Amino acid sequence: MSICPVCRFRSNNWGDVASHIHDMTSRSDPPHVMWLNRNLSSREVSSQELAGTLEDYFSLKGGLSSWIRGKVIEKIYGERPHPFILAMQKPNRAVLLGYVIEHRHFLRNWIRVLSMIVYKTDKDDVARYELENISQEFLGNGSPPHYELLIRMGESLGLTRDEIMSYDPLPSTSSSIKVWRNIAETRSWVETMASMHSMELIADKSLRNYGSKMHYFNPSILTDQDYPDAVKKFLAEGYNADEYHAWKALELVEKYSQELGVVEDVQVSFLRSLDALSKYLMARLERAMEFDPNLIKFVEAVT
Ligand SMILES: [Zn+2]
């Protein structure tokens, strides 16, 4: 099955999907035009050429999880790495506070969406995986949960717990959360699982072996005296845990998407999630600018 990544128009071949996208873009439909510009090319191409490009873009040469990893690297760590990742190579107080304030909302939503996977799946290995993940994030297993470590990072940077809790999410964070909730509510649990856990790949330190130019943050921070212990603790948790989390999840996604015959749907939902992630990472920087207006110069220089 070939599926339009924007509106899910379906056909048995890429030729039909290419003609459909060509038709939509010649009518200047904004979502189709934007998708093409952002993901394939901003120059005008014939419907025939587009069919080949789409087929190549969606082809799974090394399996679904490798395809997902490749797209994450391309979008977040590619030619122009995401500005938030660049800022994390030597984050100042403002960048870390932007991270804390927006990420609190992300994590609250994270566990709610994972609960939807548990609700919808009939596979025990999937339910167990997600329940472990939810408890790790929210309850902790004998050690403080990620959610608590995040708040402590904010406190170590000079905000009170009440202040951190008082912020509503920025519009970009809210709109990304809406995308993930919409996937959870309207699509299959396998698509939801791919959409959520592929995001953990951005912190996977092994991405360097697959072409990523840098880590999620500069690992020297973990031993740098200039950063409070609570910052190092929060970053170290993700640095050590997410790699295992993401890969285990993507193995389950690969297995069940084939079994249930929804591989192409998974690809399309994952791409939607990746766009939402990119937007959400910008929201962290947008919030950071409230604490350090000079960051705008950095953002302008790298975008
Ligand atoms: Zn379409």
Side-chain angles (χ1 to χ4, degrees):
M1 188 62 69
S2 308
I3 306 177
C4 169
V6 183
C7 68
R8 289 187 183 260
F9 165 84
R10 304 167 89 89
S11 170
N12 287 325
N13 61 75
W14 284 112
D16 284 354
V17 174
S19 317
H20 151 79
I21 294 180
H22 203 257
D23 186 37
M24 295 304 279
T25 49
S26 59
R27 281 191 264 153
S28 300
D29 174 69
H32 286 82
V33 172
M34 273 193 310
W35 191 89
L36 266 194
N37 288 349
R38 280 187 193 155
N39 297 287
L40 297 183
S41 163
S42 50
R43 88 191 153 80
E44 204 163 318
V45 291
S46 69
S47 178
Q48 205 172 17
E49 192 184 335
L50 182 58
T53 314
L54 281 168
E55 187 168 359
D56 191 48
Y57 186 84
F58 283 95
S59 75
L60 299 176
K61 294 172 190 99
L64 180 60
S65 53
S66 297
W67 181 84
I68 287 177
R69 183 179 54 212
K71 294 292 179 233
V72 168
I73 293 176
E74 213 172 284
K75 177 124 188 155
I76 309 289
Y77 289 99
E79 280 307 301
R80 296 160 71 106
H82 194 288
F84 178 76
I85 303 292
L86 292 172
M88 281 302 284
Q89 301 309 305
K90 195 165 177 35
N92 64 10
R93 174 176 176 269
V95 169
L96 293 169
L97 284 177
Y99 191 163
V100 171
I101 291 167
E102 296 309 306
H103 203 49
R104 184 176 83 80
H105 299 287
F106 176 96
L107 282 183
R108 290 287 291 120
N109 181 66
W110 176 262
I111 54 168
R112 292 175 76 181
V113 170
L114 298 198
S115 308
M116 286 289 281
I117 300 170
V118 178
Y119 175 72
K120 285 187 171 181
T121 189
D122 57 350
K123 309 291 181 194
D124 283 352
D125 50 356
V126 171
R128 193 172 305 115
Y129 174 81
E130 295 301 358
L131 287 168
E132 274 170 12
N133 199 321
I134 291 166
S135 77
Q136 186 85 46
E137 294 292 342
F138 205 58
L139 302 174
N141 290 332
S143 53
H146 293 164
Y147 187 75
E148 175 60 25
L149 291 175
L150 178 77
I151 308 294
R152 289 183 193 173
M153 169 158 96
E155 287 178 313
S156 78
L157 296 163
L159 288 193
T160 66
R161 190 168 286 254
D162 285 345
E163 280 168 337
I164 295 166
M165 299 296 180
S166 70
Y167 283 92
D168 287 329
L170 285 174
S172 300
T173 299
S174 295
S175 93
S176 294
I177 286 177
K178 220 166 140 190
V179 168
W180 295 312
R181 293 184 67 77
N182 181 266
I183 291 171
E185 282 159 12
T186 62
R187 308 300 314 173
S188 69
W189 61 263
V190 193
E191 287 169 65
T192 311
M193 210 175 172
S195 303
M196 299 311 281
H197 295 290
S198 57
M199 292 195 274
E200 289 179 299
L201 281 178
I202 66 162
D204 180 344
K205 47 186 179 291
S206 76
L207 285 191
R208 288 294 305 268
N209 306 333
Y210 298 95
S212 165
K213 292 199 196 92
M214 58 189 75
H215 285 297
Y216 180 49
F217 58 86
N218 188 332
S220 71
I221 294 170
L222 298 177
T223 49
D224 189 332
Q225 295 307 312
D226 290 344
Y227 291 94
D229 279 348
V231 170
K232 293 178 205 168
K233 266 198 181 125
F234 174 77
L235 292 177
E237 275 279 309
Y239 192 67
N240 296 323
D242 281 349
E243 181 179 7
Y244 159 76
H245 268 305
W247 277 102
K248 180 79 186 129
L250 292 180
E251 268 172 34
L252 292 166
V253 165
E254 185 142 8
K255 173 175 144 192
Y256 288 118
S257 59
Q258 278 163 9
E259 198 176 303
L260 301 169
V262 292
V263 173
E264 294 86 353
D265 289 280
V266 166
Q267 289 179 285
V268 169
S269 288
F270 152 74
L271 288 174
R272 232 179 121 216
S273 172
L274 187 56
D275 271 338
L277 174 67
S278 176
K279 193 170 177 183
Y280 161 64
L281 292 177
M282 278 310 288
R284 291 180 181 173
L285 279 182
E286 218 180 292
R287 181 66 82 188
M289 285 178 216
E290 290 177 17
F291 296 90
D292 176 8
N294 278 327
L295 268 176
I296 185 77
K297 289 181 202 146
F298 166 81
V299 174
E300 279 173 352
V302 299
T303 42

